[in-house]
Amino acid sequence: MKSRLLYLLPLGLFLVLALYFAVGLTKDPKIIPSALIDKPAPEFTLPPVAGGKTPGFATADLKKGRVSVVNVFASWCVPCRAEHPEINKLAKMGIVPVYGLNYKDTPQAARAWLDKLGDNYTATGADESGRVGIDWGVYGVPETFIVDGTGRIRFKHVGPIVGDKLEKEILPLIRSIQETGK
Amino acid sequence: MIRAVVLAALLLAVLPLSPAHAVNPDEMLADPALEHRARVISRDLRCLVCQNQSIDDSDAGLAKDLRVLVRERLKAGDSNEQVIDYVVARYGDFVLLKPPVKGSTLVLWIGPAVVALFGILALTLFYRRRRAASPVAAKPLSPEERARLNKLLEGDAP
């Protein structure tokens, strides 16, 4: 009896491994967990997009006691175009300030893009060299960060916020961070 | 004609020897020692856009920015470890092509050795048991068995 169970061991091991790999296949390898979660936002000061409507922003703006959203975008980024209506929607709700981080873009292109698709950012910082982006661990635009009132990064979303992601994922997170304070 | 073919074959044979790196001449540092260190560091840093290439190999914009950053840190007097820590602080351990040995990666590093050890142990046990089992079969016959066998061989069994 005992030895018969032993013969089933390889089958059992195989099933465990198969389950493990099956779960692995459902995950997107392009999404890399951020090293900055629960860490303070990097120190930076970004100038506004030259000739744009809104001012630039800096680390101090993220430490004013309110939860804020930082959206990394660029005019050359196609998925950014797809998600921008959702970002506008979030900004118009008025529940959080939404900062735009214009990543490796030219002022002319960024201005034209914002004029066409709508500019509802509280402020937009121009990161032409991409150096501030590196400090934020940006590797693929669009990326969206939720920062708590003390300036700590609490969440990062890689890729466009489209479909029901704003309602199902982003808004509940913003609300829960707002409720738990800080 | 033959000479041209031979020449072409030689060229084709030598071509793969020249490494296809993405480093542009304008990124390189004037100091060869520093540049060499930059190349060594870059080879171990993953390009997060193309994931299975190092930033030394990748043509992606981010890879170029990181190459320039590595060289800037080196010029500022950072050690190799400091430069790597700087990048890891922003992008996490995933940016290292070779995962570091620590608590959460222990299974990754010693897992294969443990599995191999188990295999060797199982095989040793199996063969030892088999060897232990064979002398039992070679036990001499008891007098009763011998008598019965003789009887059978004599052919007066039914």
Side-chain angles (χ1 to χ4, degrees):
Chain A
M1 186 56 205
K2 206 173 162 195
S3 68
R4 192 152 325 154
L5 276 179
L6 205 64
Y7 283 125
L8 283 175
L9 191 68
L11 181 70
L13 272 176
F14 168 76
L15 287 177
V16 168
L17 276 179
L19 191 76
Y20 185 75
F21 290 133
V23 170
L25 279 176
T26 64
K27 297 194 170 159
D28 186 351
K30 288 261 170 216
I31 292 174
I32 302 158
S34 173
L36 294 169
I37 299 297
D38 289 335
K39 300 239 169 76
E43 291 296 326
F44 68 93
T45 308
L46 282 177
V49 175
K53 286 185 225 157
T54 54
F57 70 112
T59 316
D61 292 305
L62 304 175
K63 290 182 177 167
K64 289 185 173 164
R66 339 168 267 188
V67 176
S68 45
V69 169
V70 177
N71 176 239
V72 185
F73 75 101
S75 67
W76 45 262
C77 147
V78 179
C80 297
R81 196 170 274 265
E83 87 164 354
H84 201 68
E86 295 293 295
I87 298 297
N88 281 339
K89 204 191 318 178
L90 174 66
K92 279 182 190 159
M93 283 178 187
I95 51 171
V96 280
V98 180
Y99 296 99
L101 200 162
N102 187 222
Y103 180 67
K104 298 193 80 173
D105 215 343
T106 62
Q108 303 90 297
R111 256 191 342 256
W113 196 84
L114 286 170
D115 283 345
K116 193 173 167 204
L117 298 171
D119 182 1
N120 292 286
Y121 290 121
T122 310
T124 309
D127 179 24
E128 286 186 44
S129 69
R131 199 43 69 84
V132 173
I134 289 179
D135 284 342
W136 279 81
V138 169
Y139 67 90
V141 276
E143 287 186 14
T144 304
F145 296 85
I146 302 177
V147 182
D148 70 15
T150 62
R152 255 188 325 145
I153 296 172
R154 297 293 296 275
F155 174 78
K156 171 184 180 176
H157 184 278
V158 179
I161 296 169
V162 286
D164 58 3
K165 273 186 188 159
L166 182 65
E167 268 82 18
K168 289 268 165 69
E169 205 177 335
I170 308 296
L171 283 176
L173 262 166
I174 291 174
R175 290 203 185 98
S176 88
I177 295 169
Q178 278 175 335
E179 271 162 28
T180 54
K182 288 189 210 167
Chain B
M1 178 63 200
I2 291 170
R3 199 186 280 181
V5 170
V6 170
L7 209 67
L10 266 175
L11 263 177
L12 277 176
V14 172
L15 216 58
L17 295 179
S18 62
H21 287 304
V23 187
N24 293 321
D26 63 319
E27 293 169 16
M28 290 184 185
L29 297 174
D31 180 350
L34 271 190
E35 176 63 23
H36 177 73
R37 277 172 60 201
R39 297 298 293 271
V40 170
I41 295 170
S42 305
R43 260 188 289 248
D44 283 338
L45 292 178
R46 183 193 303 274
C47 164
L48 290 113
V49 181
C50 6
Q51 298 211 352
N52 277 333
Q53 276 187 308
S54 71
I55 61 168
D56 198 47
D57 284 334
S58 171
D59 263 326
L62 181 64
K64 183 190 162 80
D65 290 350
L66 285 174
R67 281 198 300 269
V68 172
L69 180 88
V70 163
R71 284 164 174 80
E72 269 183 28
R73 303 298 314 173
L74 284 176
K75 266 205 285 196
D78 276 13
S79 71
N80 290 16
E81 287 72 35
Q82 280 171 319
V83 176
I84 289 171
D85 288 347
Y86 183 93
V87 181
V88 169
R90 282 152 183 78
Y91 288 100
D93 284 340
F94 188 74
V95 80
L96 301 170
L97 281 168
K98 195 181 192 184
V101 184
K102 58 181 195 183
S104 57
T105 58
L106 223 54
V107 174
L108 186 70
W109 279 99
I110 66 166
V114 169
V115 170
L117 246 143
F118 263 110
I120 292 168
L121 200 75
L123 270 179
T124 323
L125 275 178
F126 175 76
Y127 280 113
R128 200 176 279 178
R129 204 172 286 174
R130 209 164 69 163
R131 201 182 305 156
S134 46
V136 176
K139 212 165 78 176
L141 296 172
S142 65
E144 297 95 67
E145 284 169 334
R146 199 174 293 273
R148 221 175 122 215
L149 187 66
N150 283 339
K151 223 172 172 187
L152 284 168
L153 285 172
E154 276 157 27
D156 51 288

